[in-house]
Amino acid sequence: FAGTGHVNARAAPAQPRVAVVIGNAAYPTAQLHNTVNDAKAVANALRDVGFTVIEVHDGGRTRMQEALERAAALLRGRNGVGMLYFAGHGVQLDWHNYLLAVDSLSSTAAEVRANSLSLQSVIDAFRIAGTRVSLVVLDACRDNPFIDGSQGKGLAQMDAPPGTLLAF
């Protein structure tokens, strides 16, 4: 069920397909309206094509990190497909991308780094797990409502490692 990190227990193929689907809307000062519904729709579509889905709705950093770690554990050494779908606030700081948790009341760049999930950590988790293919889809609102406007707008360009598709 939604919001608890529940894993769909359908029979997994020999090469598993595991997706982390995060929909964050309940930010204290910059709520979003469609992200949780979008995440639910994506999660259902992925289940329909055989993915094991770990869902997080309105997740704090700890829940988001735990979901990623759980997916990596399910994929480790099995040559599978790992996916992250994120709908929520995404920001770049110093050419690094961060997925904001709903509990990240960040007013400084250092707080954003400490209280958010870095996109690089997602890529690294799938790489270390030994995925055959990694898919990262960011359906992110790309303005940072939490810190001053001195940082760049949008998300930073990244080079995807082999076998990885990044979609912003």
Side-chain angles (χ1 to χ4, degrees), residues 97-111:
N97 295 315
Y98 296 91
L99 312 177
L100 298 185
V102 295
D103 61 357
S104 62
L105 298 174
S106 303
S107 60
T108 67
E111 289 174 345

Side-chain angles (χ1 to χ4, degrees), residues 101-123:
V102 295
D103 61 357
S104 62
L105 298 174
S106 303
S107 60
T108 67
E111 289 174 345
V112 168
R113 285 184 196 92
N115 298 324
S116 302
L117 187 64
S118 79
L119 182 54
Q120 189 62 51
S121 71
V122 173
I123 293 168

Side-chain angles (χ1 to χ4, degrees), residues 76-139:
R76 193 161 292 118
R78 298 185 60 206
N79 199 34
V81 175
M83 180 173 179
L84 172 88
Y85 171 85
F86 175 80
H89 283 291
V91 299
Q92 72 155 299
L93 298 172
D94 300 323
W95 293 99
H96 296 277
N97 295 315
Y98 296 91
L99 312 177
L100 298 185
V102 295
D103 61 357
S104 62
L105 298 174
S106 303
S107 60
T108 67
E111 289 174 345
V112 168
R113 285 184 196 92
N115 298 324
S116 302
L117 187 64
S118 79
L119 182 54
Q120 189 62 51
S121 71
V122 173
I123 293 168
D124 290 345
F126 289 149
R127 180 185 49 78
I128 291 167
T131 58
R132 177 173 45 88
V133 174
S134 298
L135 307 168
V136 179
V137 178
L138 302 181
D139 184 5

Side-chain angles (χ1 to χ4, degrees), residues 21 32 41 46 52 78 90 102 141 145 153:
V21 176
L32 298 171
L46 289 170
T52 296
R78 298 185 60 206
V102 295
C141 180
K153 287 232 177 214

